[in-house]
Each structure stands twice: as structure tokens, then as C-alpha cells.
Amino acid sequence: MILDDQFAYIPLFALAAIAVLVFILLLAVRKKSTARVSFIAFLSVLLIGAGSLAAAIKSAAGADGGLALFALSVAAAAVIVIPYCIVLCTFEPKEIRKLVPHSENQMQQAFIQPAEEQAAQEPALRPDGHDSKAIEISYAFTAKASEAFSSEDGISRLLDFANTTIRDEIKADGGAILMVDDFEDMITVKSFEGDFPPPYKLPDDMPHKPLRIATNFKFASFTLRDNIFGEIATSGKPELIAKPLDDPRIFQNGPEDFLACGSYVMVPMKVQDAVIGLAAFARTKASPAFTEDDLQTASLITDFAAASIKSVISAKDIMEHNALMKEAEIASKIQQMLHPAKLPVLPGIQIGTIWNPLEGVCGDYYDVIVSRKDRISFVMGDVAGKGINSVIVMSMLRAMLRLTVNTKKTAGTILEWANHGIAGETFSTDHFASCALINYDPQQRTAEIATGGTTPVFYYSSETKKVTQISTASEPIGVDKESEYKDILQNIGTGDILITYTDGLVEALNEEGAQYSKESLLRIVSSSAQSTGKDIANLVKSDIKKFIGNSSLRDDQSLLVIKFE
């Protein structure tokens, strides 16, 4: 990141100095009255200057968080400026001309207007934009957006505020804000209040009771087609539906009066032509139908709401990304500590390894544990996920295996103990591991093998010159406390080889999308069986690199080659 660079604070100090200079110049312009300067400009420059200075100080001190602080200050300035710019772009400058008299007579008339008459002119939002009420609403959205930054449910509160504000201004009986989920091609209700006769077909088995209908709509999701909400959001055009009986997109559920459709106003929430949601409002059949003025009013306020909501979402995304990066950095440091710094020298055994992490936290780990004279344990693990919880699972698995391999229990029993401990933890619900445990007895020259999950173990026989898989797939570690793991015994001869790996190795893709495959791996092992374990691993590594070419890694890659002399 840029703030990690040794001299990155220099441009930040420069930006802070420029912001101070601009602030001073704005004060001078305002004092001389050579132009009108909005307080929005002062506040924006102040935010960017303060954020730059604080980020520069953090960077110069070598502290973390400078980039997040700078990004947050820029986002806050954007939240303030965007609604203000929308107001300036939307309204015609008729009222501004009234506030700037062009003659002495006009100036006198402006100051002799009775105070009672001014007080009687209560601000009210009108579609033609000839009021200050719209500016008040834009400021209110700015304030709500600022609150949303520091609150866990800030987005929900902002959506509720938008819903209530538009509903009150157009006197709707009910309102809803729906947000688009681009990944799932859905639009989901995120805020709902009031009486909203559903314009979509209700489930056939749903009782026609007001509370059940309202609850169903409050938590409803719709596709972006084949329903009125999805179609209007996709079109990106606001619509007034004053006569629902004449609109084939509106479904009449009836016959109850509270289900009878009245009129609707639906406005897509757009930011730079991208639809992020939909503001939908309804009047019951007993209320007067919405008008074009109502549609224009709703469209205007929805623009304010969309800009504020998008700014808050973007800022929260930046903050979440920085939090994840920080978590990944911590988890990566812990994981590096768990990785063997140096493998033990074992008489009569040659070990070759590949450990190629994708980035940040690696879910793969291997271990070599010399526990007793009659047992040397080899471990290959692949933990699901990349965060702190995954590192905890890896740490627990490593610690339990290192402790229990010192007992006389078999490999299968040791995996069952580890599985019982990890599966019993609530944090491990979505975090589990595939694991292969090989206990080798150098006195008896036998290998006792157990596997959990999909991590395989292959055996190369120097006598037959063939490679066979001697492990079987089973439940991963951490899924079910009652899982059982079988012991597999294998006699070991001179020149025999045991191979275990994680799936990222054989699933590496080349530029054409083809996988490297286990057949390619085992072919290298068979053809170079006379080489040392280390040389075999290096040959596999070179072969994979040649195969994938310029294609990037998609998963961690680990390999353990154990050759017996």
C-alpha cells in the first residue's frame, strides 16, 4: 500500500498544505465579497486537509491505518459535496435571482417585506424547485449519511429515513426501499412502512391477513424480471401508475379491500446511470391517485437519497476492506510461525516439499514430527478459508497432532481426537480441514496412514514401479464430532515413496483453463523415482510452472514427498 512506503507521507503533507492554502484563499474571497463561497466548500476542504495531515503523521510515525483515515476523509467530503451539487444542478436559479437585487428599488422592496408575510411562507417542496425546502432535505440526508458511517445499522437507518421522507412529502399510504443485489440478480426489500397493497402475486398458501401480507413484503426478494419492481429497476425510468387496472404488470390479489391496488409511484435509485435500488410508494384505493407532481417530487428526493446511500456504502466498503486486510496480515504472521522453518534430518529418509501460498494467509500446512524412536509423523493439511478463524483451526489441529502423536494411539484414533476437539467449537462451523497423517515406524519399516477429507496419500513401489492411491476419502476434520477414520497399514521397502499433496497443486490451471492433474504429478514421480525426495519435488515444481505459463495461481499449492532409502 502507498502508506507503507518510506516516503509516502511527503505527498500527503503537500496535499494538507495545499488544502490549508485553499482554505485561506476562500476566507479571503468571502471577506472581500468578490464571490459567494458556500460553507460546503469550506467544510470539504477542511475534511480533506485534516485527513491528509492525520494520514501523513501516521505514515511518518510508521503507524497503520493512514490509508483508511485518508480514504474516510475523502469519502466524508464526497458525502457532503454530492447532494449539494445535485441541488445546484437540479434547480433553476430563479430564487437566487430574487435574493440578489439588481437595482436600488428591488433592494428596498426586499428589505421592507413584512416579517409576518415572510413567516407565513412555510417552506414546502415543489417539483419546480422554487423553494429552500429541497436544500433542507439535502442537508438532512448529508447529516444522516454522516451518522451512518459510525453505526453498525447506519445503512438501514438511512434507508428508513429516505423512505419516511419521501412518503411524507408525497403523502403516500405506504412506502418501501428495495436494493439491487447484482451478484444474485435480485432486488430485496430493505425498508418498509405503512399500507402497501402488493402489486405482485401472493403465494397461493398465504392467508389473506394484513399482518401476514405486510410481513411477507417486508422480507421479500424479487428477480429483476417478471415483476413490477424488477422491471422498473431494470429500465432505470421512474413511473407513475395511476390506473393499476389498466397495467398488465400489476397483479390484483383481492377480493379483500385492503388488497385492492390504488396508485403507485416507483423511482429507480441511480448513481451515474447505475441502478442501486428502487423507491416504491403506494396509495390505497380509497385515497386520491398520485399525480405527476408527486412523481417529480419523489424523483428529486430519491436522487438525494441515492447519492447519500452510495457514498456510505462505498465508504463502508473501504473500511471493511482495510479491516479484512489487517486481519489477513495478522493471520498471515501467525501462519508463518506455524510453518516449519527447517525440516529435521532423518536417517534413511529423504524429504522433498513444495509450499506455494496464493497470497496472504495460506490454508495449507505440513509438518514433520519426530515423536519417538518407533514413530516419525508426517502431516499434510488443507484448512478451508483464509481468515483468523481458519488460522485458529490450523493452530488447534497442529497443536493437537503434535501432542497426540506421542501416544501409542493409531493414526485413525489421533485424527478422531483432533476432529472431536475442533468440531465441538462454535467458531469452526464453516471452517474445517482436510488432513493426511502418516505415522512411520523406522524399526518395523511400516507406515500407518489415516486421512480426513480429500487430502490423498499415494504409494510408489520400487519393486513394481507403479504408483497407487492407498488412502480413501472421508469426512473432513471439524464437520461432525462422531466421524471415524480408518487406519491403513503399508509395508515400506528400499526406494519406496509416499506422496501427499493439497488439491491446489493438481488443480492449477494453464492459460487455456486445463488442469495440471494428478496424472501429471504421478508421472513425474514415477519417471524420477531414482532421484532424491528433494529433487523429485523440485522437478514437480518446475513442471507445474512450465504448465501454467503466465496464468496466475488460484489456490495454495503444497506437496510432501517421502522417499525411503
Side-chain angles (χ1 to χ4, degrees), residues 331-354:
S332 179
K333 289 179 180 178
I334 298 173
Q335 200 275 339
Q336 289 284 348
M337 295 169 61
L338 301 179
H339 182 66
K342 185 178 181 181
L343 294 176
V345 177
L346 303 174
I349 301 176
Q350 302 169 355
I351 302 174
T353 63
I354 293 176

Side-chain angles (χ1 to χ4, degrees), residues 43 94 188 459:
L43 186 56
K94 296 180 180 178
T188 303
Y459 167 67

Side-chain angles (χ1 to χ4, degrees), residues 383-415:
V383 181
K386 295 286 187 182
I388 291 291
N389 282 357
S390 298
V391 172
I392 293 175
V393 171
M394 183 185 294
S395 302
M396 290 179 64
L397 181 60
R398 179 180 182 272
M400 285 188 284
L401 291 180
R402 284 190 161 233
L403 178 65
T404 54
V405 294
N406 287 285
T407 69
K408 293 186 178 182
K409 295 298 181 180
T410 66
T413 301
I414 291 172
L415 286 190

Side-chain angles (χ1 to χ4, degrees), residues 409-426:
K409 295 298 181 180
T410 66
T413 301
I414 291 172
L415 286 190
E416 288 173 7
W417 285 359
N419 172 70
H420 193 275
I422 294 175
E425 298 292 341
T426 55

Side-chain angles (χ1 to χ4, degrees), residues 340-540:
K342 185 178 181 181
L343 294 176
V345 177
L346 303 174
I349 301 176
Q350 302 169 355
I351 302 174
T353 63
I354 293 176
W355 190 66
N356 192 14
L358 177 62
E359 62 178 25
V361 182
C362 176
D364 294 357
Y365 100 99
Y366 64 84
D367 206 354
V368 179
I369 311 163
V370 182
S371 54
R372 304 194 308 264
K373 290 182 179 180
D374 61 347
R375 176 175 289 181
I376 301 171
S377 299
F378 302 90
V379 182
M380 176 61 74
D382 185 359
V383 181
K386 295 286 187 182
I388 291 291
N389 282 357
S390 298
V391 172
I392 293 175
V393 171
M394 183 185 294
S395 302
M396 290 179 64
L397 181 60
R398 179 180 182 272
M400 285 188 284
L401 291 180
R402 284 190 161 233
L403 178 65
T404 54
V405 294
N406 287 285
T407 69
K408 293 186 178 182
K409 295 298 181 180
T410 66
T413 301
I414 291 172
L415 286 190
E416 288 173 7
W417 285 359
N419 172 70
H420 193 275
I422 294 175
E425 298 292 341
T426 55
F427 70 82
S428 66
T429 303
D430 297 323
H431 296 80
F432 49 88
S434 288
C435 181
L437 173 61
I438 302 170
N439 289 334
Y440 175 63
D441 184 346
Q443 298 175 352
Q444 301 296 324
R445 293 189 70 86
T446 58
E448 183 184 73
I449 301 161
T451 58
T454 58
T455 301
V457 176
F458 286 86
Y459 167 67
Y460 171 81
S461 171
S462 61
E463 183 178 350
T464 63
K465 312 299 183 186
K466 292 182 179 180
V467 181
T468 57
Q469 181 171 347
I470 57 176
S471 62
T472 57
S474 58
E475 285 285 341
I477 305 294
V479 173
D480 183 357
K481 290 193 293 185
E482 305 304 321
S483 294
E484 297 181 354
Y485 302 99
K486 292 172 36 178
D487 289 306
I488 302 167
L489 294 178
Q490 178 64 54
N491 292 322
I492 301 297
T494 301
D496 290 353
I497 304 172
L498 291 176
I499 310 103
T500 181
Y501 56 83
T502 59
D503 54 10
L505 190 85
V506 296
E507 293 175 359
L509 302 178
N510 63 12
E511 296 175 355
E512 286 73 39
Q515 288 188 352
Y516 180 68
S517 79
K518 68 178 181 181
E519 288 77 16
S520 299
L521 166 65
L522 299 179
R523 184 178 63 251
I524 296 294
V525 173
S526 297
S527 62
S528 57
Q530 302 305 315
S531 303
T532 65
K534 184 177 181 180
D535 288 341
I536 294 172
N538 288 335
L539 288 170
V540 172

Side-chain angles (χ1 to χ4, degrees), residues 175-197:
I177 303 293
L178 300 87
M179 299 301 291
V180 172
D181 187 334
D182 292 327
F183 293 102
E184 296 185 3
D185 198 27
M186 301 286 288
I187 184 167
T188 303
V189 178
K190 296 296 184 180
S191 175
F192 169 72
E193 61 181 13
D195 297 326
F196 199 113

